[in-house]
Amino acid sequence: MIQIFIWGFEFFKITKYTFKKLLLIYVNFCKFCSINICCINFIYSSTDNYYNPDDSQNFQIMIDISKKNFNDLIKLNTFLLLIYFIVFLNLNTGVNETVMFSTPDSKDYLEVGNWIFDNSDTEQTINNPVLYPFFLKLMLEFSGVYGVWFLQFIFWLLSVNLLFSAIKRLTNKLFAYFGAVIFSLNFSFIALTLHALTDVTVTFVLCWLIYYLTVNYLEIRKWTVFCNVILFFSVLSIIKPVFFPLLIVLLIIVFPVFYLKEFLNSQRKYLLIVAIIPVIFQLS
């Protein structure tokens, strides 16, 4: 166990150095091109200010704030990687097909994936949506079970980061760290990254939705925000059918009561159709 901690410390020290170098390269690129760094602000929830090309002082403030938030995320992700790989190594299962497809649901998803790519016979398409089986089979084709595990590991990591950023926007850094730590200490959820199940993917999309709502909660009555929420639930519905009733509630109750006027006045009515395309595709 001591050797694991020593290895982990060296690994994360190298990772932290690499991340800092990448950030420095990006900041220098932004200075050179005289563009804003809104993408860093979006990912790391840094500020609500935007860069004015004519105001170099604001630009420098934005860089300083982004660096500060980046350092917070470096600390968070160092802790997350340490927790994940300690749990991973103590599971003593490794990444293999036996574990990946050890549950009945995972075998059903694989059957649907085989149907999508190979047109094989299966009755599971009646009961299972196609999005997760599609990505499952796609990753298996290109990188095997290690690709599936790595994708779900990234989803797990991004889920905690999105949750951290969402809590930080609504409260402060202390509560954000607390929420992220509590979330990451769910060891059963870490173990699910080794199984071909939808739980990790669904959690990632939900955390993304939560973050999106915290960023746009002051504009929640806007038509575009509503359409984006519909899109989130459409994607969730074709990953896990349990979300389909919530999508129906949004379309049948929430839409006519709160957004009908915005819909009639909007020049982008087509956004609603675009938002439900995933469900239309699934039903077809």
Side-chain angles (χ1 to χ4, degrees):
M1 181 60 69
I2 296 176
Q3 188 63 35
I4 292 175
F5 276 104
I6 295 174
W7 172 83
F9 176 76
E10 293 296 328
F11 175 78
F12 296 127
K13 187 166 63 173
I14 295 172
T15 303
K16 181 177 180 180
Y17 174 79
T18 304
F19 283 169
K20 284 187 174 180
K21 285 294 182 183
L22 289 174
L23 177 66
L24 183 60
I25 292 171
Y26 183 80
V27 169
N28 288 333
F29 175 76
C30 290
K31 287 181 177 179
F32 176 77
C33 298
S34 297
I35 60 175
N36 63 15
I37 49 174
C38 290
C39 57
I40 290 184
N41 295 328
F42 173 77
I43 298 172
Y44 301 131
S45 310
S46 58
T47 180
D48 291 330
N49 297 321
Y50 294 94
Y51 168 59
N52 182 350
D54 298 325
D55 192 345
S56 59
Q57 184 177 3
N58 285 344
F59 181 70
Q60 187 60 46
I61 291 173
M62 296 245 326
I63 293 176
D64 293 340
I65 294 175
S66 297
K67 283 184 176 180
K68 182 179 179 181
N69 285 274
F70 187 82
N71 288 332
D72 289 339
L73 286 177
I74 285 289
K75 296 174 184 177
L76 173 66
N77 285 279
T78 299
F79 170 79
L80 293 178
L81 290 173
L82 183 62
I83 289 295
Y84 183 91
F85 284 105
I86 288 177
V87 175
F88 177 84
L89 293 173
N90 279 277
L91 288 174
N92 294 322
T93 57
V95 180
N96 56 74
E97 291 190 9
T98 303
V99 175
M100 187 71 68
F101 300 103
S102 60
T103 62
D105 285 344
S106 61
K107 295 175 183 177
D108 292 344
Y109 297 141
L110 182 60
E111 282 190 28
V112 176
N114 291 332
W115 171 79
I116 294 172
F117 281 79
D118 305 324
N119 199 26
S120 59
D121 294 332
T122 180
E123 297 179 355
Q124 298 303 325
T125 54
I126 301 175
N127 303 318
N128 294 287
V130 298
L131 185 60
Y132 181 79
F134 171 78
F135 282 108
L136 174 64
K137 185 63 177 180
L138 185 67
M139 296 305 296
L140 287 172
E141 289 288 329
F142 283 96
S143 51
V145 291
Y146 286 96
V148 178
W149 163 76
F150 183 73
L151 180 64
Q152 298 195 140
F153 163 68
I154 294 298
F155 283 169
W156 176 83
L157 201 62
L158 289 174
S159 297
V160 186
N161 278 265
L162 288 167
L163 185 64
F164 172 84
S165 299
I167 297 174
K168 187 177 179 181
R169 290 186 71 93
L170 295 177
T171 57
N172 55 51
K173 184 168 65 176
L174 179 62
F175 282 102
Y177 274 119
F178 180 76
V181 168
I182 294 298
F183 185 94
S184 63
L185 291 178
N186 186 342
F187 299 150
S188 297
F189 190 60
I190 293 176
L192 284 174
T193 60
L194 300 172
H195 296 268
L197 298 171
T198 60
D199 302 71
V200 177
T201 306
V202 166
T203 302
F204 164 64
V205 179
L206 283 173
C207 289
W208 191 357
L209 173 60
I210 292 170
Y211 177 77
Y212 177 78
L213 291 174
T214 60
V215 172
N216 296 280
Y217 72 96
L218 294 177
E219 301 177 342
I220 196 67
R221 294 299 299 272
K222 284 190 174 182
W223 172 244
T224 53
V225 174
F226 176 73
C227 289
N228 285 331
V229 172
I230 292 294
L231 179 60
F232 273 108
F233 276 97
S234 294
V235 172
L236 286 168
S237 297
I238 64 172
I239 299 175
K240 212 172 185 65
V242 69
F243 291 97
F244 186 70
L246 296 176
L247 176 64
I248 297 300
V249 170
L250 287 173
L251 291 173
I252 294 180
I253 299 177
V254 177
F255 168 60
V257 173
F258 297 102
Y259 292 94
L260 183 59
K261 183 178 179 181
E262 285 75 10
F263 169 75
L264 296 174
N265 294 332
S266 175
Q267 296 181 348
R268 294 187 289 180
K269 298 180 178 64
Y270 63 89
L271 289 178
L272 183 60
I273 302 299
V274 174
I276 61 175
I277 281 178
V279 175
I280 296 174
F281 176 77
Q282 171 67 42
L283 294 177
S284 63

